[in-house]
Amino acid sequence: MYFLPNFPQKLTDFAIFGLILLTGLLAGELAKRSRLLPAVSGYILIGLAIGPSGLNLLTAPLLDDARLFIDIALGLILFDLGRHLDIPWLRNDRGLLLMALGENLLSFALVFAALLVVDLEPLSAALIATIAMTTSPAVVMLVASDLRAEGPVTRRTLTLVAVSNILALVIFTALIPWTQRQDVGIALASWHSLYRLGGSLLIGYLAFLLSLLAARLLGKRESSQFLLFVSMVIIAISAARAFNLSVMLSLMSFGVCARNLDRQRRLMTIEFGYVARLFWILLFVMTGAYFRLDGFTSGAAAIFVVLLVIAVRQLGKTAGVLLWRKPGQLTARQAGLIALAITPIGGVALGMSRTITDFNAGLGGQLSLVAMAVLTVLDLLGPIATHHALRLSGETLSEEAQAGSNHHG
Amino acid sequence: MVELSFTRSTELSMGVELELQLVSLYHQNLAMEAADLLRRLEAGPHAGAVKPEITQAMIELNSGIHGGFESLRAELQSMRDTVADAARAAHVGVCGGGTHPFQRWNEQRIFPTERFASVSEQYGYLAKQFTVFGQHVHIGVANGDDAIYLCHALARFIPHFIALSASSPYYQGVDTAFDCARLQAVSAFPLSGTPPWLHTWEEFDAYYQRMVQLGIVRSMKDFYWDIRPKPEYGTIELRICDTPLTVQRAAELAGYLQMLVRALLAERKPLSRDVYLAYTVNRFRAARYGFDARLIDPVGAAETTVAEDILATLDELGPHAAALGGEPVLASLRRQVEAHDNDAAWLRARMAELGSLPDVVHAQVLRWQD
């Protein structure tokens, strides 16, 4: 009959979008019920299952189309993360500052040295080491939010995450133009570095100024300020893209400015709640879909490099936190849990490795083998580490209490 | 059965306990930081004097025993500075105030000790809803009979302390229209209220033994009265006050009670049970309207406002202030009453100026520090 559709039909992108959300939601719930896994793990696993490495429902071109969503999700997360970087705290608590710098320095140095030992050229080694420095803000913030974790360990974990991401983004943004130095020359590559770095920070600052102006009109109403931030995040993303700047650094800079430069406290601290959850599920399912296990099938040497990077990164982060726990007056237990909680490497790192490919396809291919395999392993194990670290910290709210709470976090 | 013996203490000595809020400097909500902050304070000067309270977002400062207002104030200031230093390094806010303006009671976490776990088990949601912050003032008395006498004699002054200390106009995110919303959380407990109409320590002991026998209480701690004898310390304990926003005001409240006790013991007027006819109504009105509350006086039958009643009382305390070094307290209280300047008014003014409750909490934290 003419009014009936023709079968079989191809799934439209629109339908797949809904499917991602639904399957992600369900897989997250199943993961949570296991009590061993956080919801994030469920999102990632379902992504792996329906992505190109699995059932190929989420195909590579579709993933490229969905990049906008990933960018918005990451933008919101980085803005939120920037707001967790409280500079007066780092000024008053030198111990925490030392710990943050220490764990990043050590993990960078150890990964960099290890990659030089296995004969990677220095720039590639530095780029991977920079990626390795980061702790996934998305994973840590979502796990903490799911567990309703709050307290000394959780707060410090978030601060370390913020510092590691801002450092990594600054280094990465400065290094990335150098991947093209053979084509454009050193002078131009330097100018490019400066442009990307300064431009990205400036975009963040301008977004902050614009928010202040708008907030003056909107007043301190949560609903209005929520929409203000979401729209400013989207505008900042577009601006960063239009000017060929780092989206990630721009958004993080926006958040840091909002936390530290808002002297008259015009901007409210808003939890993104349900809307953020939507982006988070999309982000993690797609992160899972991006994963490639090829690194493991391409020989013992590649596996060795992957495991080496993971091991020395973990060593650097753990040693950094434990070595500098005393000046911050943390107990050995607190420091141990913080070191465990900062294990995940994730969304930002993914964005970074994509950026490498954008800039230099050949180099991207070479790097992505190692980087993707490291990301895959750490993104599967990292959320579980964070989940258990926060649970063991005793800073989480019990399930019964959460059920009775009308909080939208 | 063991007799409840009343420890002898120095008459008119005083001390205070202050329950303080720990707040996040990120979102200004209550912060679950008590255990960590107490650990940081362990090595410091006032280590034993800062204690855990029922939820993880609360600590309690305990002063030493003092003869006068000045030394009490000095000690409280020093304790405040010690706590503020540790809190600054840990990036946690500390502040006064009888309630947290917008915390959700169901998100509170009970501090892990046996007693608190038992309170939590016994009272269910009330234990968490009891996330309110009070100041307790102890005044030393010579014997148990005096303690019982004072519990009744002070009953008519309870509204003064409510209005002077009130610092809880906001609760669960709304302006309650009360100056002191905290008292409603206290009233929910079955053993809140006032001590029974008894007149000697012997009678009180018999009453207490009966209550223990009936399984109603296990210790004096189970009575949540507005004012109660504290036999272990040899004191009476006034529990009606909100924690003020400054240690200065906390010390002044203690100084005022000390002068009142001295005056009451000097005069030893006969007691009238009629004071309790209007007790709960006066208590309610003071919590609701603060200084403007109209008090019912069943004994004298005159109606006055709390402000007028305090000013009249201050007029009579002159000689006692002179004897106790309390003149600065009298002057300061007079100024506060005349200006209707309590902490509830201050908090409402900040809300009008700043426009959001998190910003009000931020202002509270700054006020506590200076």
Side-chain angles (χ1 to χ4, degrees):
Chain A
M1 273 173 282
Y2 71 95
F3 55 84
L4 286 177
N6 296 321
F7 287 102
Q9 280 215 323
K10 233 178 127 284
L11 274 176
T12 61
D13 291 0
F14 197 61
I16 288 177
F17 179 82
L19 211 64
I20 294 177
L21 269 180
L22 180 67
T23 49
L25 180 69
L26 296 176
E29 186 59 35
L30 286 178
K32 242 195 281 185
R33 291 202 185 177
S34 74
R35 290 188 161 263
L36 294 173
L37 300 178
V40 185
S41 298
Y43 306 152
I44 291 174
L45 286 172
I46 207 74
L48 198 55
I50 64 175
S53 296
L55 300 171
N56 207 24
L57 277 172
L58 252 181
T59 56
L62 196 64
L63 277 175
D64 274 347
D65 291 346
R67 217 169 133 166
L68 178 69
F69 286 110
I70 295 201
D71 275 340
I72 294 178
L74 275 178
L76 284 172
I77 285 165
L78 285 169
F79 169 68
D80 213 11
L81 183 70
R83 298 199 83 169
H84 276 91
L85 189 74
D86 204 327
I87 291 167
W89 183 5
L90 294 175
R91 244 198 329 255
N92 291 328
D93 186 355
R94 289 296 156 90
L96 186 63
L97 182 64
L98 287 174
M99 180 184 278
L101 297 177
E103 62 105 349
N104 282 296
L105 188 72
L106 281 180
S107 52
F108 179 90
L110 288 178
V111 173
F112 184 63
L115 290 173
L116 288 185
V117 167
V118 299
D119 266 350
L120 210 64
E121 59 103 10
L123 182 59
S124 305
L127 284 171
I128 295 189
T130 308
I131 292 175
M133 259 167 74
T134 62
T135 296
S136 163
V139 170
V140 172
M141 290 169 94
L142 185 56
V143 170
S145 155
D146 274 349
L147 292 170
R148 304 290 309 285
E150 265 190 42
V153 168
T154 310
R155 288 193 296 132
R156 285 174 178 78
T157 300
L158 282 168
T159 300
L160 293 193
V161 175
V163 172
S164 84
N165 280 281
I166 197 124
L167 285 179
L169 282 170
V170 166
I171 296 174
F172 192 83
T173 307
L175 280 183
I176 198 77
W178 293 82
T179 58
Q180 298 170 321
R181 71 189 179 285
Q182 268 136 8
D183 306 332
V184 301
I186 288 179
L188 215 51
S190 313
W191 279 114
H192 193 175
S193 283
L194 269 178
Y195 171 77
R196 270 181 78 82
L197 205 56
S200 306
L201 295 174
L202 186 66
I203 292 271
Y205 182 63
L206 291 177
F208 158 70
L209 288 184
L210 208 57
S211 305
L212 273 190
L213 278 179
R216 190 183 285 196
L217 179 71
L218 293 169
K220 288 181 189 166
R221 280 208 317 276
E222 262 189 58
S223 51
S224 313
Q225 292 221 355
F226 169 77
L227 290 172
L228 168 65
F229 292 138
V230 173
S231 50
M232 282 313 302
V233 162
I234 295 175
I235 291 169
I237 291 172
S238 329
R241 286 180 150 196
F243 289 96
N244 286 326
L245 299 166
S246 160
V247 170
M248 295 178 283
L249 187 57
S250 303
L251 269 293
M252 182 121 188
S253 147
F254 177 24
V256 173
C257 290
R259 165 67 42 194
N260 295 284
L261 299 180
D262 178 19
R263 293 277 149 74
Q264 284 158 322
R265 304 177 64 82
R266 287 223 184 89
L267 304 177
M268 303 176 75
T269 302
I270 308 260
E271 293 197 47
F272 286 130
Y274 289 136
V275 174
R277 170 76 45 168
L278 178 111
F279 284 110
W280 273 346
I281 294 181
L282 287 173
L283 174 68
F284 284 113
V285 173
M286 289 178 184
T287 304
Y290 267 108
F291 286 155
R292 299 288 183 283
L293 300 164
D294 322 356
F296 291 101
T297 52
S298 57
I303 295 180
F304 172 74
V305 174
V306 169
L307 295 181
L308 180 71
V309 168
I310 291 173
V312 296
R313 170 187 184 269
Q314 203 64 18
L315 178 69
K317 291 213 159 270
T318 308
V321 172
L322 293 179
L323 281 175
W324 281 285
R325 81 171 170 86
K326 286 255 166 74
Q329 294 184 50
L330 295 179
T331 65
R333 184 183 158 79
Q334 287 174 326
L337 292 173
I338 291 173
L340 190 60
I342 59 175
T343 303
I345 182 170
V348 172
L350 190 73
M352 286 181 180
S353 59
R354 256 199 351 255
T355 309
I356 300 176
T357 323
D358 285 356
F359 265 79
N360 185 326
L363 185 59
Q366 182 194 339
L367 286 186
S368 67
L369 185 80
V370 174
M372 281 312 292
V374 170
L375 290 178
T376 305
V377 173
L378 284 179
D379 246 329
L380 292 175
L381 299 179
I384 304 172
T386 307
H387 178 76
H388 289 288
L390 295 184
R391 283 189 78 144
L392 287 171
S393 73
E395 294 174 9
T396 58
L397 196 61
S398 70
E399 311 256 313
E400 308 87 76
Q402 284 194 41
S405 160
N406 53 7
H407 178 98
H408 296 186
Chain B
M1 191 143 300
V2 189
E3 197 179 309
L4 191 63
S5 68
F6 195 91
T7 310
R8 205 187 146 79
S9 73
T10 310
E11 198 170 67
L12 297 178
S13 58
M14 64 176 165
V16 306
E17 299 162 23
L18 287 175
E19 292 163 350
L20 299 174
Q21 314 186 24
L22 300 182
V23 298
S24 157
L25 296 176
Y26 176 68
H27 49 44
Q28 275 70 42
N29 206 332
L30 287 176
M32 310 302 143
E33 297 279 342
D36 191 60
L37 188 64
L38 291 170
R39 180 181 61 78
R40 288 161 185 270
L41 287 164
E42 265 165 21
H46 296 288
V50 188
K51 295 186 171 142
E53 248 300 330
I54 187 154
T55 73
Q56 282 276 16
M58 197 188 291
I59 56 168
E60 182 179 284
L61 298 190
N62 290 300
S63 81
I65 300 165
H66 295 269
F69 161 76
E70 270 308 330
S71 71
L72 173 66
R73 189 188 62 167
E75 192 202 16
L76 286 178
Q77 273 172 352
S78 152
M79 292 174 89
R80 175 202 63 193
D81 293 343
T82 303
V83 172
D85 286 346
R88 193 172 302 117
H91 202 57
V92 174
V94 179
C95 65
T99 52
H100 183 280
F102 63 91
Q103 60 95 12
R104 298 279 167 199
W105 61 265
N106 56 346
E107 290 171 10
Q108 294 315 308
R109 299 151 207 217
I110 302 294
F111 198 95
T113 70
E114 211 175 308
R115 174 172 158 76
F116 294 145
S118 141
V119 169
S120 173
E121 196 274 325
Q122 205 179 342
Y123 290 111
Y125 84 108
L126 288 184
K128 287 189 177 180
Q129 210 163 34
F130 203 44
T131 307
V132 290
F133 307 82
Q135 170 179 359
H136 300 174
V137 184
H138 289 268
I139 303 287
V141 290
N143 54 61
D145 291 350
D146 281 0
I148 299 295
Y149 173 80
L150 283 168
C151 284
H152 298 308
L154 282 166
R156 83 161 220 75
F157 297 101
I158 289 291
H160 295 194
F161 288 92
I162 296 174
L164 285 167
S165 72
S167 60
S168 50
Y170 298 102
Y171 187 54
Q172 306 289 304
V174 293
D175 188 333
T176 59
F178 280 67
D179 271 16
C180 171
R182 166 182 147 274
L183 282 184
Q184 308 316 309
V186 183
S187 302
F189 285 83
L191 296 171
S192 63
T194 53
W197 185 249
L198 302 167
H199 299 286
T200 64
W201 187 249
E202 206 184 329
E203 284 170 9
F204 184 80
D205 185 29
Y207 162 83
Y208 173 76
Q209 303 301 350
R210 182 93 177 103
M211 295 294 273
V212 173
Q213 243 169 28
L214 291 170
I216 295 174
V217 297
R218 269 173 290 184
S219 76
M220 279 297 295
K221 277 191 174 144
D222 293 329
F223 292 113
Y224 286 30
W225 297 330
D226 295 341
I227 183 164
R228 72 183 180 192
K230 182 88 175 169
E232 311 92 284
Y233 294 177
T235 62
I236 51 146
E237 181 186 13
L238 181 76
R239 302 151 48 79
I240 198 80
C241 297
D242 277 357
T243 299
L245 298 179
T246 58
V247 287
Q248 171 75 25
R249 190 158 286 178
E252 286 172 2
L253 289 167
Y256 183 41
L257 182 63
Q258 186 193 33
M259 288 184 269
L260 266 180
V261 167
R262 189 174 191 273
L264 290 168
L265 288 177
E267 293 171 24
R268 300 248 178 206
K269 282 189 187 152
L271 298 169
S272 161
R273 194 174 188 170
D274 283 357
V275 73
Y276 289 112
L277 290 176
Y279 182 85
T280 52
V281 170
N282 283 340
R283 180 185 188 273
F284 168 84
R285 288 184 178 180
R288 169 69 179 82
Y289 299 104
F291 290 126
D292 292 327
R294 301 201 69 83
L295 291 178
I296 298 165
D297 178 5
V299 183
E303 205 177 89
T304 56
T305 65
V306 170
E308 290 160 359
D309 201 41
I310 297 175
L311 290 175
T313 309
L314 293 177
D315 286 341
E316 289 168 19
L317 288 179
H320 303 287
L324 293 166
E327 292 97 336
V329 178
L330 282 194
S332 172
L333 291 178
R334 182 177 301 282
R335 189 197 52 72
Q336 289 165 37
V337 177
E338 281 167 354
H340 277 41
D341 161 31
N342 64 7
D343 286 335
W346 189 88
L347 289 166
R348 286 197 168 103
R350 292 294 79 70
M351 181 60 188
E353 171 195 347
L354 302 167
S356 86
L357 289 175
D359 289 345
V360 172
V361 174
H362 182 75
Q364 271 173 267
V365 171
L366 295 180
R367 184 162 171 84
W368 173 255
Q369 286 165 2
D370 54 49

